[in-house]
Amino acid sequence: MAAHVVELRELLTLCPLDEDQQRAAEVLVHQCSTAELSELGLGAPPKPLVPKGLEKLPMRARLAAVQRVMSSIEYNHRPGNFYNVSKDRPFCRIMDTARDMLREALPIKCIEAVFLGGLLTAGWDGLQRLPLGFKSKVNGETYRHIVLVVHYVPERKWGALGISRQQELMFKDLVFDSLAELVADYKAAYEKWWHKLHKARIGLPFEHDTHATSSVCWRHHTISPAKQPWRQCAATLDKFSDDYKMLWGKFRASEAGGTSPYAHAPPPRRERGNGSGSEKGEATAGTTSRGAAGSAAASPTKQRQAEAHASPSRQRPGGGSGAAALHERYASPMRSRQQPTGGAGQQRGTPPRPPAPAARAGGGAGAGARPSPAKSLALERDASTGREAPASSSAAGETAGEAAGEAVGEAAVRDEQPGVAGGEATAVRPPDPGAAPPAPAAPFDPVGDPGAKPDVPSDSDSDENSDYGDDGG
């Protein structure tokens, strides 16, 4: 016998091994052949055999055979898992993981057993499979466990499939008359092992199509035996057992409507018109036909209104029509940035706009200054009569006109400039190129802020993918 085989056999007699011995054993295992490992009892685990012809057996015998297949796989006592145990996946991906278990036969925990039970019982008429999770505590430690509840509808019997380190927390025969009785049996099993059952969560049924892309509702109803009397918990479970088919139908309808994260892709978006036709005309054939029929059957009144609206008499003298003409006519002069100088664009009866700030800066004099309205009227009146107007009246009119124009101009400047406070225009200083740039705002620091509160859930029930298998046995 080889030396590495003898040394490995001596190490196996010293179990449990410390870290150094485990590393030495790992090196020796890699040196051994498959036959030598089989002689030492370290060969590959046997693959589970699924019996043929299960559909011909009674339902209780079928479930017992499935439980034997699940129990033939070694229980995983080490931390972590050998398979992907994520529940936030489509049902078909979960079934792919179950097929890997039958092919590889690596050690599993209770969550993998639920996956495998869903695969082996798929397609059985009259049998519904629902996940049932538990949360228990003992000596300040929290443990979680999960089984697969089976409901045989023709006989109205309940049972469960699963694996655990304790016999009382796994398989339950198909003999219970209600879901409440089944959960009560598990509650008594936890109390036998000094555990206090805090919560039990029941989900909605699994699909029978192992290639379905829908998701699984793992938690729908929750009971708290540690806080509620058992009579209230039993009433909740009985109500759920009567309504779970209806709830399952609503869940499937919500997935078909696209509210599920695994729903099918949304329908393609409708393309808008590209300008070659009407804005809506080419979206659907029905819309086009309705539009053509509506235009052909237009009433005479609407036709007359359309002709009157398009007639040349409605064109405004300013050269524009429609929305452009309305904007030109009713635009506020104080909000306009370009001051017109009169001409064809000036509408008859429209009050003259105030002078621009550049012209007003020179005090109304100079080549670019415009005369005030009062002074213009006085000059025109004097030109028609051929005499010079009195200086007092002319000066008074000019002063009043300039004061009014400047007031309106100042209002326009005050409306357009920032830095106005209390109705008085303030000067806006340009930035100093030599000044240091302002310091950026400090980011929010939840650690340094004494008033910041961390968003930490008060209960650990929010983790959907907990490490199942810690059933405390």
Side-chain angles (χ1 to χ4, degrees):
M1 184 177 294
H4 58 272
V5 177
V6 176
E7 188 177 356
L8 181 58
R9 178 171 292 179
E10 293 177 356
L11 283 177
L12 293 178
T13 59
L14 301 177
C15 291
L17 306 177
D18 56 18
E19 294 183 359
D20 296 336
Q21 292 173 344
Q22 290 178 10
R23 286 193 290 267
E26 184 178 359
V27 173
L28 294 174
V29 166
H30 286 290
Q31 295 177 2
C32 297
S33 62
T34 304
E36 292 174 343
L37 291 175
S38 300
E39 292 179 1
L40 296 174
L42 300 179
K47 294 184 179 180
L49 299 177
V50 180
K52 297 181 179 179
L54 288 177
E55 293 78 6
K56 300 178 181 179
L57 300 176
M59 185 57 65
R60 292 182 61 181
R62 291 193 222 173
L63 295 175
V66 170
Q67 181 62 41
R68 287 192 295 268
V69 174
M70 297 165 57
S71 301
S72 64
I73 304 177
E74 183 182 356
Y75 188 87
N76 182 15
H77 293 273
R78 64 181 296 275
N81 304 86
F82 291 101
Y83 302 99
N84 182 5
V85 296
S86 174
K87 299 182 296 181
D88 298 332
R89 295 182 292 167
F91 186 67
C92 59
R93 297 293 175 254
I94 296 176
M95 293 296 99
D96 290 341
T97 302
R99 295 184 184 95
D100 294 339
M101 299 176 200
L102 294 177
R103 181 170 54 254
E104 300 173 1
L106 295 176
I108 62 175
K109 293 183 179 180
C110 56
I111 183 63
E112 294 101 318
V114 171
F115 294 172
L116 186 57
L119 176 65
L120 297 178
T121 58
W124 291 3
D125 295 336
L127 188 71
Q128 299 294 346
R129 298 83 42 80
L130 304 91
L132 175 62
F134 300 100
K135 176 186 176 183
S136 62
K137 291 185 179 181
V138 60
N139 297 330
E141 297 291 336
T142 301
Y143 298 90
R144 288 176 173 85
H145 183 49
I146 189 171
V147 296
L148 183 64
V149 172
V150 290
H151 180 210
Y152 190 45
V153 179
E155 297 181 3
R156 299 181 180 179
K157 295 295 181 179
W158 296 78
L161 299 171
I163 63 172
S164 172
R165 288 175 287 184
Q166 304 300 333
Q167 190 71 22
E168 295 84 0
L169 297 177
M170 43 191 299
F171 175 71
K172 299 295 181 182
D173 201 0
L174 201 65
V175 295
F176 296 92
D177 295 329
S178 65
L179 178 61
E181 292 184 8
L182 176 65
V183 178
D185 189 84
Y186 277 108
K187 180 175 178 293
Y190 272 106
E191 294 173 353
K192 177 183 177 180
W193 293 101
W194 306 287
H195 281 241
K196 186 174 183 180
L197 184 61
H198 278 251
K199 289 188 179 182
R201 302 180 179 91
I202 185 71
L204 295 179
F206 285 1
E207 294 281 355
H208 281 280
D209 182 11
T210 59
H211 299 283
T213 58
S214 58
S215 58
V216 178
C217 180
W218 296 91
R219 299 177 180 182
H220 196 280
H221 271 57
T222 303
I223 61 172
S224 301
K227 300 180 181 179
Q228 302 172 344
W230 179 249
R231 181 178 301 177
Q232 182 179 355
C233 297
T236 302
L237 293 174
D238 291 338
K239 183 69 167 56
F240 174 78
S241 61
D242 294 337
D243 300 340
Y244 77 84
K245 293 183 180 179
M246 177 192 65
L247 299 174
W248 187 34
K250 291 183 178 180
F251 179 76
R252 299 174 70 181
S254 65
E255 289 209 338
T259 58
S260 170
Y262 305 113
H264 298 287
R269 298 172 54 185
R270 294 176 56 186
E271 297 182 359
R272 298 181 180 179
N274 55 3
S276 57
S278 63
E279 296 181 358
K280 305 179 182 178
E282 298 178 2
T284 56
T287 307
T288 305
S289 60
R290 288 194 299 268
S295 60
S299 61
T301 304
K302 293 184 178 181
Q303 293 180 358
R304 288 194 299 270
Q305 292 177 356
E307 294 175 358
H309 183 74
S311 60
S313 60
R314 294 183 61 88
Q315 301 291 336
R316 300 190 181 276
S321 62
L326 292 176
H327 179 75
E328 178 69 21
R329 182 176 182 180
Y330 297 106
S332 175
M334 293 185 295
R335 298 290 182 181
S336 177
R337 294 183 178 272
Q338 297 180 357
Q339 302 296 337
T341 58
Q346 180 72 29
Q347 300 294 328
R348 184 181 302 176
T350 305
R353 294 188 176 90
R360 194 171 58 253
R370 293 178 57 193
S372 63
K375 187 174 182 179
S376 300
L377 293 176
L379 293 176
E380 293 178 0
R381 188 183 304 109
D382 295 341
S384 61
T385 56
R387 61 184 180 86
E388 185 178 358
S392 59
S393 61
S394 175
E398 179 179 355
T399 304
E402 290 180 356
E406 290 183 0
V408 175
E410 290 178 359
V413 173
R414 188 166 56 248
D415 289 343
E416 294 181 357
Q417 289 184 352
V420 178
E424 297 180 0
T426 59
V428 180
R429 292 183 178 181
D432 188 3
F444 175 71
D445 185 9
V447 178
D449 186 5
K453 298 181 179 180
D455 187 12
V456 178
S458 59
D459 193 357
S460 61
D461 300 336
S462 59
D463 50 344
E464 185 70 20
N465 291 316
S466 304
D467 186 12
Y468 287 98
D470 296 334
D471 46 30

